[in-house]
Amino acid sequence: GPMGAAPHRQLWALLSPERGRCVLVAALMAASVLGGVAVPYFTGRVTDWVANEDEVGAALPMALLGLGSAIAEFTCDVAYAGTSSGALGRLQRRVFATVLRRDISSLQGTGTGAVTARVTGDVEATHAALAEALSPLLWYLARGLCLLLSMAWVSPRLAFITLLALPGLLLLPRAVGKVQQRLSRQVQDAWAGATKVAMETFQAMATVRSFAYEAEAAKRYQQRLQHVYQLEGKEAATYAANLWASGFSALALKLGLLCYGGQLVATGAITTGDLVTFLIYQMAFTEAVEAMLHYYPNMNKAVGSSEKIFEFLEQEEQAAPVGTLAPDVLQGHLRLEEVWFSYSEHQEPVLKGVSLDLHPGEVLAVVALPGSGKSTLASLVLGLRPPSAGRVLLDGHPLSAYQHHYLRSQVAAVLQEPVLFSRSLHANIAYGAGSWHQEQVVMAASRAGAHPFISLLPRGYDTEVGELGGQLSGGQRQGVAIARALLRDPCVLVLDEPTSALDAESQLQVEQEIFGASRAGRAVLLVTGQAALAARAQRVAVLEGGRLHELESPRELLRPSSHFQLLLQGRGQGGTVG
Ligand SMILES: Nc1ncnc2c1ncn2[C@@H]1O[C@H](COP(=O)(O)OP(=O)(O)OP(=O)(O)O)[C@@H](O)[C@H]1O
Ligand SMILES: [Mg+2]
C-alpha cells in the first residue's frame, strides 16, 4: 500500500520500551470499546421490557457500563498521551544526539536548514502521527470491528445488508467529493485567467485604443467569464449531488433496515429490542468507519514525515561508525600524513598535503600569516572536520577509530574564539565528560592564570557566566578555556592563539604551562601568528600556501633575513612580530 512497512515497524519499535504501558492502553481501549458496545445492547433490553411491561431492571447496569466505559476511555487517553510523549522525547533526543555527532562542516550552509527541519518539523509531524492520528485510528478500528461483530450477533442478515450498503454510503460521497475538489480548483484557475485578461487589457489601454480593439477585448473577457460561470454551475451541481448522495444513501439504508427489520420482528426472528440495539450499532458503526476514513490520510502524511526522520537517523548511523578504541595507555604520538583540506569543492584547498609528526614531550609551533589555515589545521587535528584526503593519526590509528569520550579526554584544545556556556565558571571549566572536584578546578584555573580574577568575583567559581554577560573580557574567557583544557590533563594539547588576549601576567603563567610540556610528557601543537611566541617552542614549522615547512631551528624565525620575516615584510605586516 502507500504506507511502507518499514516506518510503521520503526514507529512501533520506538514504542517498545513502553511495552507495558502499551498493553495497559490496549486493555483500557478494549474495555472502553466493549462498554460502548454493551450500552446499546441494554438499550434494546430495556425496550423489550418496556414493550412487555416488565420491570426495568437493566437501567442500573446500563448506567454503570456507560460510566465505566467513559472512565476507561479517559484513562486510556491519558495513558496513551504519556506513552507517546515518552517515545517522542526519546526520538527527539536521538535525532539531536545524531546531529551533534555529525562533523561540523555538514552543519554549515544549506545543511543547517535540512537538519533543523529534521529536528523540529519532522519530529513534530511524527508527534502528530502518534498523538493525533494513531490513537483515534486504533480506537475506531477496534470499535468498528467490535460493532460489526455485535451487529452480526444480533442479526446476521441485517449486518449483511449494512455491509452491502457501506461502499455506497462512504465511497460514493468520497468519489463525488474528489470531483468537486477538482472542479473548485478549476474554477479558481478560470477566475485567475479571466482576471489576467482584464489586467492585460487595462495595462495596454493605449494599444487597445489605438488599434480600435475595444470590442474584441470586451468579447474575450466575456468568453472567459462564461467559462467561469459554466464551471461554477458544475461545481454547484456536484456539491448538491454530494449532499444528496450521502444523505440519500444513509436514508435508504435506514429505511431498508427498518422495513426488513420490521418484517423480522413481525415473524418473531428478532425482538423489537434487538432491532433498536441493531440500529444504534449501525449508526455507531457508520460513524466509526467515517472517522477511520478521516484519520487514515492524516496518519499517512505523518508516517511520511517520520519516514524522513528514520531515513536520516539510519543514514547518519551508517555514515559515522562509532569508534571503539580506548587503550589504557596512550602515548600521544600525533601524525598527519599528506593531509588535504578544502571547505568546498569549488574552493582552493586550504591545506595541500600537510605532513607532520609530533611526539610526546614536544612543543611544535605552527606559525603563519592570518588566513593561511592555522585554525583549519587545528580543527582537523581535533577531528572536528575530516580531511578531504590524507590521514590524521593518533598512536597510529585514525582519530575516528577512538571512542568519543576517550578521545576528548586525551586530546584537548583551546580554540581561537573560546565559547563559554551560560553556567557557572566551575561548570564551564569542568565542562564535558567526567566529574571534577573543586580543588582540581581551582588548580587548573591557577595554571591557566585565571584564578586571580575568579577569586576576586563576589561569588567566585559559582558566578554564572550568563550573569556576567559581556562583562567577561576576551582574556578572561581565554583563561577559562585554557583551564578547561588543562583540567583533563590531556596527552595532546592543541592551542590556537591561546595567549592573544591575555594580560602579561597570565600570559607568562600560560607560557610556562605550555613550554613545560616536556616535563609533563605532553605533545603540544601551538598554532599562532606571533613569531616571538612560536620561537620559544622546540620545533617550529611555517604554514604557507597550504604547505608546511619545518625550520631547522626556532631561532631562524627571529633572524631578520629569515624566510618568515621576509614574508611578513612582503605583506607589510612586520609590526605584528614580537
Ligand atoms: N568555515 C569556513 N568556510 C569556508 N572557508 C573558511 C571557513 N573557515 C575558514 N575559511 C577559509 O580558510 C582559510 C583559512 O582560514 P583559517 O581560519 O584556518 O585561517 P587562520 O590561519 O586561522 O587565520 P587567523 O590567523 O586569522 O586565525 C581562509 O581563507 C578562510 O577564509
Ligand atoms: Mg585562526
Side-chain angles (χ1 to χ4, degrees), residues 105 108 341-344 347-351 368-379 385 416-417 496-497 527-529 543:
S105 30
Q108 287 170 345
F341 182 83
S342 56
Y343 280 99
S344 74
Q347 232 177 23
E348 171 94 1
V350 178
L351 302 179
L369 294 177
S372 22
K374 297 185 297 289
S375 299
T376 308
L377 180 68
S379 68
R385 297 175 194 278
Q416 189 169 16
E417 278 149 22
D496 191 355
E497 303 284 8
V527 160
T528 178
L543 183 63

Side-chain angles (χ1 to χ4, degrees), residues 129-177:
L130 281 173
E132 282 148 36
L134 183 63
S135 127
L137 201 58
L138 284 178
W139 195 80
Y140 279 113
L141 186 67
R143 189 170 157 83
L145 284 177
C146 210
L147 284 165
L148 190 61
L149 283 178
S150 314
M151 279 159 68
W153 178 63
V154 173
S155 166
R157 278 179 279 190
L158 288 177
F160 183 66
I161 293 180
T162 308
L163 275 187
L164 276 188
L166 207 58
L169 204 61
L170 298 166
L171 299 182
L172 187 67
R174 289 219 125 207
V176 178

